[in-house]
Amino acid sequence: LNSSLQYSHFDTDALRSSLQENIFPDDSTTFEDSRSHSKMINNNYVASFRMEWNPDDKTTVIFTPRFNYSHSNTFSDSYSLSYDDRNDQIYQTEENTYSRSTGYNLNGDLTFSRKLNENGRVLTVGLSGGYSDRDNAGDNYSLTEYYRRTSGDPVELLDQIFSHTNNGHNYRVNISWVEPLGRNNFLQFSYNFRRNKQESVKSTYSIDDKGAYTLLDSAYSQSYENDFINQVITLNFQARREKYRYTIGFQAVPSYSRSRTFVEDKTLSDLSRSVVNFSPTASFDYLWNRRTNLRISYSGETSQPSITQLQPVAEIANATNIRIGNPDLKPSYTNRMSARY
């Protein structure tokens, strides 16, 4: 049995400046010169526990719960100026933001492992789960002046308060089996099922004629519900020799995801997606002696776009940099190869 308690405190003060060049499809170019100052104070508390039990020489049970609580205060102010390649100004923005955040995470893992014979047959079963909850509230003030706007008000003012709640839960089941094949050859099979559900509710209110924050700003109040199911099926063959060992195998990863974007009771987007990814793996280890060894490994991975990247809904976190997802995004494939001597 062992446990630990941890406390950490961060107090950061940062100044940042950047110059960004934007190139548009018509080959026109704009520049954005920005400066910002941010300050954050964060306190974090962690309690963890670990129990490892061996009822006999073939069985191991491990239980590891963990609790985390944090609260922070963040302040930032920024200024940016946009202009074209002739140094003619396009717009300028001043922004001030303050937020305070509290949250906690509770999770735990339970693993059962048993050797079924002396040749290397092993059964492992794992269970895990977690719950998280975070609340963030504050105010946002920004003033943007557009120098080339020919219609409407050339000055946009945002004076808002906001509250943002994130909570979610997840659970995972993992089963693995190691089967000996002859002498020093092994077939490794594992199945992993994981489900993660999250809800993010954001409410933003603007100031009314009486000076009270009562007007719901739907453009800044988009909320999300995400449900993600992931399965990983792994099959590997491993050969162990006196001087070397190698492993070859593959993974099949079926997954399902659904995301709903809404403002209060109005649904803006409801998107679901089912895909199956395949990934090969291979590794080779050579041992010259106790001090010298070589390891070469390869893995391929197919990655699907996230629900946020696919959602065709505007994300207006920044009035001058509005993001909209693309539902036609294709998956990416990544090759990884490493050598270690």
Side-chain angles (χ1 to χ4, degrees):
L1 303 175
N2 64 71
S3 62
S4 69
L5 297 174
Q6 301 175 25
Y7 166 74
S8 60
H9 172 80
F10 298 94
D11 190 342
T12 62
D13 198 340
L15 296 172
R16 176 179 296 176
S17 62
S18 66
L19 178 61
Q20 176 175 305
E21 180 181 3
N22 304 305
I23 303 174
F24 296 95
D26 60 359
D27 292 331
S28 61
T29 302
T30 65
F31 299 89
E32 185 170 325
D33 189 1
S34 61
R35 294 170 176 79
S36 66
H37 172 222
S38 62
K39 184 175 179 62
M40 182 187 72
I41 300 175
N42 175 269
N43 292 281
N44 194 56
Y45 309 84
V46 179
S48 61
F49 176 78
R50 176 183 170 88
M51 179 198 75
E52 183 171 341
W53 177 41
N54 299 100
D56 54 55
D57 59 353
K58 295 182 179 180
T59 307
T60 301
V61 180
I62 300 175
F63 177 53
T64 55
R66 180 183 175 93
F67 177 77
N68 172 261
Y69 173 79
S70 65
H71 62 86
S72 63
N73 292 279
T74 304
F75 167 80
S76 66
D77 64 81
S78 62
Y79 169 82
S80 62
L81 174 66
S82 177
Y83 53 91
D84 60 20
D85 51 7
R86 297 187 302 272
N87 284 330
D88 292 333
Q89 296 181 354
I90 302 173
Y91 65 81
Q92 71 172 1
T93 300
E94 298 179 19
E95 184 173 12
N96 295 279
T97 302
Y98 171 74
S99 66
R100 52 199 174 276
S101 174
T102 60
Y104 68 89
N105 295 282
L106 176 64
N107 55 69
D109 293 275
L110 177 64
T111 303
F112 169 86
S113 179
R114 181 169 176 83
K115 298 178 181 178
L116 301 180
N117 64 18
E118 298 300 328
N119 297 323
R121 181 180 295 156
V122 179
L123 172 66
T124 303
V125 179
L127 302 172
S128 68
Y131 180 81
S132 63
D133 194 343
R134 176 165 293 277
D135 296 316
N136 185 28
D139 54 73
N140 179 42
Y141 176 90
S142 71
L143 181 67
T144 304
E145 184 175 359
Y146 295 92
Y147 297 106
R148 299 181 180 181
R149 180 168 287 181
T150 58
S151 61
D153 194 341
V155 177
E156 286 187 1
L157 172 66
L158 286 178
D159 190 357
Q160 305 168 325
I161 62 171
F162 63 87
S163 64
H164 193 183
T165 300
N166 285 279
N167 62 73
H169 64 274
N170 66 83
Y171 62 88
R172 180 180 66 87
V173 179
N174 180 68
I175 300 174
S176 68
W177 181 278
V178 178
E179 180 66 26
L181 300 176
R183 185 176 180 178
N184 296 326
N185 297 322
F186 301 91
L187 191 65
Q188 303 169 336
F189 170 80
S190 68
Y191 173 75
N192 186 301
F193 178 91
R194 181 181 179 90
R195 185 170 190 177
N196 189 353
K197 298 190 71 173
Q198 290 183 318
E199 182 181 57
S200 174
V201 179
K202 187 175 183 180
S203 299
T204 303
Y205 295 91
S206 299
I207 197 167
D208 60 18
D209 296 336
K210 298 180 180 180
Y213 295 92
T214 60
L215 303 177
L216 179 69
D217 193 330
S218 58
Y220 290 83
S221 300
Q222 294 179 10
S223 303
Y224 301 90
E225 287 180 348
N226 294 329
D227 187 5
F228 183 67
I229 297 175
N230 188 63
Q231 302 175 77
V232 180
I233 304 166
T234 304
L235 184 64
N236 290 327
F237 173 80
Q238 185 180 87
R240 301 176 184 175
R241 301 296 184 263
E242 181 180 357
K243 287 289 188 179
Y244 67 90
R245 69 173 58 183
Y246 64 88
T247 303
I248 55 174
F250 77 97
Q251 285 186 341
V253 188
S255 64
Y256 167 80
S257 56
R258 180 183 179 185
S259 179
R260 185 173 75 94
T261 308
F262 60 94
V263 176
E264 292 189 318
D265 296 330
K266 181 182 178 182
T267 299
L268 302 180
S269 175
D270 195 339
L271 184 65
S272 61
R273 189 176 176 91
S274 296
V275 295
V276 180
N277 295 329
F278 296 95
S279 304
T281 59
S283 66
F284 176 78
D285 295 85
Y286 190 85
L287 180 67
W288 277 277
N289 51 51
R290 290 186 176 182
R291 296 185 302 171
T292 308
N293 64 80
L294 172 69
R295 177 179 177 83
I296 301 173
S297 63
Y298 166 80
S299 65
E301 181 181 5
T302 303
S303 300
Q304 300 292 330
S306 67
I307 285 292
T308 303
Q309 293 171 318
L310 294 169
Q311 285 279 13
V313 178
E315 178 189 350
I316 316 178
N318 184 333
T320 60
N321 185 18
I322 299 174
R323 299 184 178 185
I324 299 177
N326 176 10
D328 296 323
L329 285 177
K330 302 294 190 296
S332 66
Y333 191 84
T334 303
N335 294 283
R336 293 186 179 92
M337 190 169 185
S338 64
R340 178 177 179 268
Y341 173 79

